[in-house]
Structures are given as C-alpha cells and as structure tokens.
C-alpha cells in the first residue's frame, strides 16, 4: 500500500512537468514555464595542532540541489519545487555520521479567480535518502531509512495576493505519516 501511495504521489507532483513539457510550440512553452536548477557543495575541514584548549579534527561535506518548475498564466499558477540535501561529517574519534538528509517535494496549483480569492490545492512529500541512527545507543540503533518514514501532505484553501511582493494562503491540510520497519520509533501509532 505504501509503495502504491508513494508512486501516485510522485506522479501527481511531476504531472504538470510531464504534461506541459510535451507542448509543440517551444517558444510559447519557454514563456509559460519558469525553470530553476541550483546546486551547491560545501566541504570544510578543521585541523588542530598544538592547540591548548583541545578540540577534534573533523572533515564535513554537504550537497544540495534545488529545483523549481512554475507555470504562470493569466488564470492559473502551478508551482512545483524540490529540495534535496545530503551531508556527512567525520570527527577524529568517531565514524562517519550523517549531518543533513532531506528530500522535500511540493506542488501547489492555484486558480486565479480574483485578486482577493485564489483557490489552491497543494501536495507535499518529505523523506530522506539514507539510513539514520541513534548514536546514544551502543551499538548504534537504526531509526529511519529511505521512505521510512514518509510524510505526505495535502492541502486546500484560498490564496490572497496583495501586491507582487506579498502573498499568503489560508486553508486546511491533511498529513499522513507512513513507516514500515521503523514504526516502533514513534513516527506512527501502529
């Protein structure tokens, strides 16, 4: 059930990209769709030699990818974003540990009805890439993994655009949390 829900959810998030990327008129498509792809990589090292106050040598890295597809026409706005982050650190006396691990996808479809009332529907997915551990336990205890848990959220309501730099939305949302192997950690109630 979880795999089916996950596949349906991914399809719905990327449906606008699939449908509208097949348009025949390339110049028109470029006017309608705004696309953004931003990557980042940070590497840092700390090394102590003859340091009186102590400290541990460490090396860390993290990478990020941010994507955005937005279709903005006179009557609709469809915005799909993805934020992907992963990083690790290695301290002198400890093994390699994960520092950041995030997959965050969201999509919002807004119908531009009037300036003060723009109904919307949104969907979001949140999970991680790799296994997560509780290092306070010896030996370390696994407590999460890819799509375990997975957070799905659907929302609907109305958006308000006051000017080009200020807009807000109000609505209701439903959130499902699904866990398979790590339900015992407390992500879900069963």
């Amino acid at each position: 059930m979880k795999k089916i829900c996950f596949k349906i959810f991914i399809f719905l998030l990327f449906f606008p990209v699939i449908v509208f990327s097949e348009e025949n008129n390339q110049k028109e498509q470029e006017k309608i769709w705004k696309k953004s792809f931003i990557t980042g990589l940070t590497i840092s090292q700390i090394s102590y030699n003859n340091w009186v106050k102590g400290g541990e040598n460490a090396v860390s890295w993290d990478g990020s990818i941010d994507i955005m597809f937005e279709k903005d026409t006179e009557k609709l706005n469809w915005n799909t974003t993805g934020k992907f982050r992963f990083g690790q650190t290695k301290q002198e006396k400890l093994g390699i540990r994960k520092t950041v691990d995030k997959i965050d996808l969201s999509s919002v479809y807004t119908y531009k009805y009037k300036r003060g009332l723009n109904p919307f529907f949104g969907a979001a997915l949140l999970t991680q890439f790799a296994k997560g551990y509780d290092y306070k336990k010896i030996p370390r205890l696994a407590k999460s993994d890819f799509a375990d848990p997975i957070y799905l959220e659907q929302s609907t309501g109305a958006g308000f655009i006051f000017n080009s730099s200020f807009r807000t939305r109000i609505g209701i949302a439903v959130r499902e949390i699904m866990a398979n192997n790590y339900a015992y950690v407390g992500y879900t109630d069963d």
Side-chain angles (χ1 to χ4, degrees):
M1 178 67 177
K2 181 173 139 181
K3 288 182 181 181
I4 293 170
C5 289
F6 181 72
K7 288 177 182 177
I8 291 171
F9 194 81
I10 292 296
F11 175 76
L12 290 175
L13 280 176
F14 289 104
F15 181 72
V17 177
I18 295 167
V19 170
F20 297 112
S21 67
E22 297 298 323
E23 293 179 4
N24 292 332
N25 189 340
Q26 189 69 17
K27 290 197 177 212
E28 190 64 29
Q29 178 184 345
E30 288 174 7
K31 289 179 188 176
I32 293 173
W33 280 100
K34 295 178 191 171
K35 301 169 197 135
S36 173
F37 185 82
I38 301 169
T39 62
L41 178 64
T42 304
I43 301 171
S44 63
Q45 178 197 9
I46 301 170
S47 180
Y48 296 100
N49 188 13
N50 294 325
W51 185 254
V52 176
K53 299 199 183 228
E56 290 186 358
N57 298 335
V59 174
S60 64
W61 71 274
D62 76 51
S64 65
I65 298 174
D66 292 340
I67 61 170
M68 187 270 304
F69 295 97
E70 181 179 33
K71 180 177 183 174
D72 194 16
T73 66
E74 187 177 321
K75 286 292 185 185
L76 69 92
N77 178 282
W78 196 322
N79 186 310
T80 300
T81 60
K83 296 178 182 179
F84 307 92
R85 307 257 187 286
F86 190 79
Q88 295 177 320
T89 190
K90 167 70 174 103
Q91 287 183 303
E92 190 170 350
K93 296 177 185 172
L94 302 173
I96 296 173
R97 294 185 176 185
K98 188 168 60 166
T99 55
V100 64
D101 187 0
K102 182 179 186 179
I103 299 172
D104 186 356
L105 299 169
S106 65
S107 188
V108 178
Y109 179 85
T110 305
Y111 176 71
K112 296 178 182 176
Y113 180 65
K114 292 183 179 177
R115 181 182 176 107
L117 177 65
N118 296 308
F120 73 89
F121 173 77
L125 174 143
L126 182 64
T127 189
Q128 64 191 35
F129 288 103
K131 195 172 276 196
Y133 296 95
D134 182 352
Y135 291 101
K136 294 176 186 170
K137 310 275 186 196
I138 299 176
R140 67 184 184 178
L141 178 65
K143 64 179 191 174
S144 61
D145 204 349
F146 174 72
D148 192 5
I150 188 167
Y151 298 81
L152 301 174
E153 185 176 293
Q154 304 82 40
S155 59
T156 188
F160 304 94
I161 300 173
F162 297 102
N163 59 40
S164 63
S165 62
F166 183 73
R167 67 173 97 175
T168 187
R169 294 192 305 247
I170 188 167
I172 59 171
V174 177
R175 182 180 229 188
E176 298 88 31
I177 304 170
M178 294 182 282
N180 190 19
N181 296 327
Y182 302 102
Y184 70 89
V185 178
Y187 299 116
T188 63
D189 60 357
D190 54 1

